[in-house]
Amino acid sequence: MSSPANKMPVALRFASTVFVIAWLLMAAFPFIWTFWGSFKVELDFFSISDWTNAITGERTKETHGSAFTGAGYHGAWVEEGFLRNVINTFIVCFFVVCTSLTFGTLGGYALSRSGFRYTFWLLIAALIFRAMPPITLVAGYMLPFFQWNLWGILPTTIIVLVAINQPFTLWMLHSFFQNIPKELDESAKVDGCTQFQAFRHVIIPVMWPGVITTGLFSFLLAYNDFAVTSMLLSEGNRTMVPQIAAFLGTTQTEGNIMFAVAAVVSATAPLFVLVMFFQRQIVSGLTAGAVKG
Amino acid sequence: MKHRTFFWFFLPTGLAMLLFIALPIVSVVTQSLFTPHEAVLVTVETCTPFKCTQETTIDQDATAAIREAEPLGRFVGLSIYFDRGHLAIAEVSEAWQTRASFGDFFNKLNNLPFYRAMGFTLAFTFIVTPLVILMGLVIALAVNTVHARLKGVVIFFSLLPFVITPLIGALVLFWMIDSRGILGTALQWMAGDPSLSLKASTGLMWISLMIYGVWHAAPFAFVIFYAGLQTLPMDQIEAAQIDGASRFQRLRYVIVPHLMPLVTFVALIQLMDNFRVFEPIVGFNASAHASSLSWAIFNDLGGETQQLSSAAATSVITIIGVAILLSPVLVRTWRDYKGKV
């Protein structure tokens, strides 16, 4: 793109730069604003009198003597025990990622190595399952789970999230396994390995990039879920997202909305770190499906 | 791979999907045909020396017993589908017969909860999806011209709205658009109307929900298109250039056709995801102005009285809707597959 013919006209170059900056502002500003506001009192963050109060924190100074206060965080973490919800979230995410990767690699490998017609139908079934809103299934879980006393506990939610995750995981790992040459496990089988040994000793060592990427998306699905966790977990077992919704539901007193703001910032932080370290994998995961389709 | 080996490899994932996706669908369909038992009423006659009075009371024990014995409830066939909360056949036909105009008819439809939810869901799906594609394409083209060193940072910030928990993303935006938030104040200032509030206007609420939709999904489209731009056929672009194609013509006739398969992919995923729109309605506290099919199910399931049957019926209708949306894709995949075999 270095020839003069390819050089962008100044106006276009200017417009495109402005657009990129505008987009970055749109994408990042809400988070910066909320982060800043989480250290204020409610009357500053939601200021009726003067919007600049949200920046300078006039009311916060009056109430707490300084322009910044950790009252929201104190309320959420200490008074409301948000730590319990954070731990629940990470328990759920850990087990969902591990289980769905184990199930998914076995299934995805089988789908990519079997040439029979039913693999096509299984993938189509998975696509249909992927398209269904999870909340439509929840109506079907409620009655059996109540009957068998499974409702409200973490393991139930974990296995439900794993199952809802499977169609996506299968498609993604299937396309990753398609890219690993079949000759690799065939030569292992010629050397006398069984299919499982070929998988264990030949495929597993080379499949990690795909597995890590898929794992990231499984994590995001479990971490971000609201429909399933809010309906299937009892109050004591709530994960972060339904708890934030609960903070909103009880916003009769001052303070509580700021608990929600502080909790939102706390729940966003791990996602920031995740994107920072795994940006490349997330991008490659998003495009992996597209290249195939 | 032998059938036997395939079976064992596929068993865990197959079992998980069978037990927690396929069976629940059966369970949802069954549930939608039953309705909870009505309370058992007993009439007791109490006589005083002067007169006898009959009193009808709920027999708590008998009600509990029958509900315990048959938790599904009593069979009512398709009647839940046709009641006022769902397809509302009677109300719709009445509205049609007494209509003053088409506008009047649609107004009446809009007062029925199911059609209200359906209306917003479809509007959201078919307005947000094209906007996401357009926005993603423009961002991808613009970012592609950014200096190589800055691209990493730009992509990092661009990913945030997509990676963020939908409920949290919705809340973060809502707190800004709220009449006491920074954007809400800016809107009031621009419109010159200090009473302007999101909570009071259906139109504004719909627009901001859709802005959320585009904000949340545009990064996804951007990343896909950006990856596609890296594989542009340079020789074709140069050929077009030599033939005198302008910058716009190159975009229109070379770049966009090259990205077309990706557009189809993004459109498919976005149709599926936008059809299940749910979290923003909770986050924006928008239920007074907009409701979606997913939200209707959530609303039936939560709350004091769990209306399982009503939620189940809405779920079945939603699943049918998804199937209709997905059918062109399935037909195409089937043709491709048959072509290959």
Side-chain angles (χ1 to χ4, degrees):
Chain A
M1 279 281 196
S2 52
S3 83
N6 276 326
K7 211 159 175 203
M8 287 173 89
V10 180
L12 187 61
R13 160 134 286 196
F14 179 73
S16 115
T17 314
V18 168
F19 182 80
V20 170
I21 293 172
W23 162 247
L24 285 184
L25 267 182
M26 261 179 75
F29 181 69
F31 298 107
I32 301 170
W33 180 256
T34 310
F35 177 73
W36 183 264
S38 69
F39 294 101
K40 303 279 181 276
V41 293
E42 189 185 348
L43 284 175
D44 275 336
F45 188 51
F46 297 101
S47 184
I48 306 168
S49 49
D50 183 1
W51 68 272
T52 53
N53 280 358
I55 300 174
T56 55
E58 294 299 325
R59 301 294 177 92
T60 317
K61 272 183 214 157
E62 279 171 30
T63 323
H64 295 281
S66 137
F68 297 94
T69 169
Y73 291 91
H74 184 268
W77 284 79
V78 180
E79 287 168 36
E80 297 287 336
F82 194 59
L83 184 65
R84 183 70 240 153
N85 311 110
V86 176
I87 295 171
N88 282 338
T89 296
F90 282 97
I91 293 174
V92 168
C93 288
F94 177 78
F95 285 106
V96 167
V97 170
C98 292
T99 324
S100 58
L101 283 183
T102 315
F103 288 10
T105 40
L106 290 172
Y109 174 71
L111 285 177
S112 73
R113 291 302 187 260
S114 174
F116 293 107
R117 175 163 285 215
Y118 51 72
T119 57
F120 170 78
W121 290 111
L122 288 172
L123 280 170
I124 287 295
L127 182 68
I128 297 172
F129 289 160
R130 157 76 177 78
M132 285 197 317
I135 188 95
T136 57
L137 298 174
V138 174
Y141 297 138
M142 294 301 242
L143 197 60
F145 285 180
F146 276 130
Q147 289 288 308
W148 300 328
N149 246 343
L150 293 171
W151 185 85
I153 51 174
L154 292 178
T156 316
T157 307
I158 291 171
I159 189 72
V160 165
L161 284 174
V162 165
I164 289 180
N165 226 340
Q166 276 308 299
F168 172 78
T169 316
L170 273 184
W171 268 90
M172 198 150 185
L173 284 169
H174 170 252
S175 72
F176 273 114
F177 281 126
Q178 289 276 327
N179 291 338
I180 297 179
K182 285 195 174 112
E183 288 76 16
L184 219 56
D185 33 341
E186 269 161 25
S187 62
K189 281 202 283 192
V190 170
D191 289 347
C193 283
T194 63
Q195 186 82 47
F196 186 77
Q197 282 169 330
F199 174 71
R200 168 76 193 77
H201 298 291
V202 180
I203 299 299
I204 286 186
V206 296
M207 73 179 185
W208 288 111
V211 169
I212 289 173
T213 308
T214 316
L216 276 171
F217 281 88
S218 301
F219 174 84
L220 283 178
L221 183 133
Y223 192 91
N224 288 346
D225 180 86
F226 174 60
V228 173
T229 49
S230 69
M231 296 311 314
L232 290 189
L233 286 174
S234 63
E235 205 175 319
N237 283 331
R238 272 192 199 130
T239 51
M240 280 195 262
V241 182
Q243 181 61 39
I244 291 171
F247 281 147
L248 294 173
T250 57
T251 37
Q252 305 311 323
T253 53
E254 203 200 346
N256 266 8
I257 188 113
M258 293 319 287
F259 292 4
V261 177
V264 157
V265 173
S266 315
T268 312
L271 292 176
F272 259 72
V273 177
L274 193 82
V275 182
M276 218 178 275
F277 284 101
F278 294 104
Q279 183 176 334
R280 186 184 293 270
Q281 280 81 359
I282 293 176
V283 170
S284 80
L286 285 177
T287 48
V291 177
K292 287 275 151 194
Chain B
M1 194 184 262
K2 285 190 202 105
H3 294 302
R4 243 182 101 87
T5 341
F6 180 84
F7 173 77
W8 287 113
F9 268 98
F10 198 75
L11 184 66
T13 175
L15 209 58
M17 288 198 289
L18 189 72
L19 285 180
F20 291 98
I21 302 183
L23 278 186
I25 296 178
V26 178
S27 152
V28 163
V29 174
T30 323
Q31 181 75 64
S32 69
L33 303 176
F34 288 85
T35 195
H37 293 287
E38 279 163 9
V40 181
L41 300 178
V42 279
T43 312
V44 188
E45 203 177 43
T46 32
C47 286
T48 58
F50 304 105
K51 61 169 186 167
C52 287
T53 48
Q54 285 199 339
E55 208 179 347
T56 309
T57 52
I58 295 173
D59 186 342
Q60 299 290 359
D61 293 337
T63 311
I66 192 168
R67 286 191 179 157
E68 181 70 27
E70 294 168 31
L72 262 180
R74 63 198 164 87
F75 183 77
V76 288
L78 291 176
S79 69
I80 297 177
Y81 288 93
F82 299 139
D83 71 6
R84 193 182 182 283
H86 299 91
L87 294 175
I89 302 294
E91 284 83 356
V92 171
S93 61
E94 200 217 309
W96 180 252
Q97 272 150 17
T98 61
R99 73 188 186 278
S101 63
F102 278 106
D104 176 55
F105 175 63
F106 283 115
N107 262 341
K108 279 183 182 156
L109 265 194
N110 208 24
N111 286 333
L112 296 167
F114 173 77
Y115 290 98
R116 206 168 80 93
M118 193 68 172
F120 179 76
T121 310
L122 288 179
F124 188 86
T125 309
F126 288 102
I127 294 176
V128 169
T129 307
L131 285 180
V132 163
I133 292 174
L134 191 70
M135 186 78 180
L137 187 63
V138 178
I139 301 173
L141 288 170
V143 170
N144 208 24
T145 63
V146 166
H147 193 275
R149 283 214 181 143
L150 292 174
K151 275 178 183 164
V153 183
V154 173
I155 293 176
F156 169 77
F157 283 110
S158 303
L159 279 177
L160 290 178
F162 175 68
V163 170
I164 195 74
T165 312
L167 183 73
I168 292 183
L171 283 174
V172 163
L173 280 201
F174 174 64
W175 286 332
M176 289 172 72
I177 307 179
D178 186 79
S179 60
R180 296 171 299 161
I182 177 171
L183 286 182
T185 315
L187 274 180
Q188 287 169 354
W189 179 76
M190 277 192 291
D193 175 9
S195 65
L196 190 70
S197 167
L198 194 62
K199 285 177 199 138
S201 154
T202 301
L204 271 184
M205 192 53 107
W206 278 43
I207 292 174
S208 38
L209 284 169
M210 285 171 188
I211 289 178
Y212 164 80
V214 175
W215 179 76
H216 175 65
F220 168 71
F222 151 64
V223 168
I224 304 277
F225 293 145
Y226 182 74
L229 285 178
Q230 308 313 307
T231 61
L232 274 186
M234 273 317 181
D235 45 347
Q236 283 180 29
I237 293 188
E238 275 164 28
Q241 212 170 354
I242 292 166
D243 290 347
S246 71
R247 192 171 281 278
F248 177 75
Q249 283 170 328
R250 269 176 274 155
L251 176 68
R252 172 70 189 79
Y253 296 105
V254 184
I255 300 180
V256 170
H258 176 73
L259 295 180
M260 223 42 210
L262 301 182
V263 172
T264 323
F265 170 76
V266 173
L268 164 70
I269 299 282
Q270 281 305 304
L271 283 180
M272 297 197 299
D273 285 355
N274 289 331
F275 195 74
R276 61 173 74 159
V277 52
F278 160 53
E279 280 100 339
I281 296 179
V282 178
F284 277 59
N285 206 355
S287 49
H289 299 291
S291 88
S292 71
L293 294 174
S294 294
W295 187 85
I297 301 171
F298 177 78
N299 193 38
D300 279 344
L301 286 178
E304 292 292 297
T305 51
Q306 284 191 329
Q307 293 164 307
L308 284 185
S309 303
S310 166
T314 316
S315 298
V316 173
I317 300 174
T318 311
I319 293 174
I320 294 171
V322 169
I324 294 173
L325 267 186
L326 207 63
S327 53
V329 185
L330 292 182
V331 170
R332 214 189 63 158
T333 322
W334 169 237
R335 283 211 193 107
D336 284 0
Y337 177 73
K338 262 172 80 178
K340 256 192 261 171
V341 171

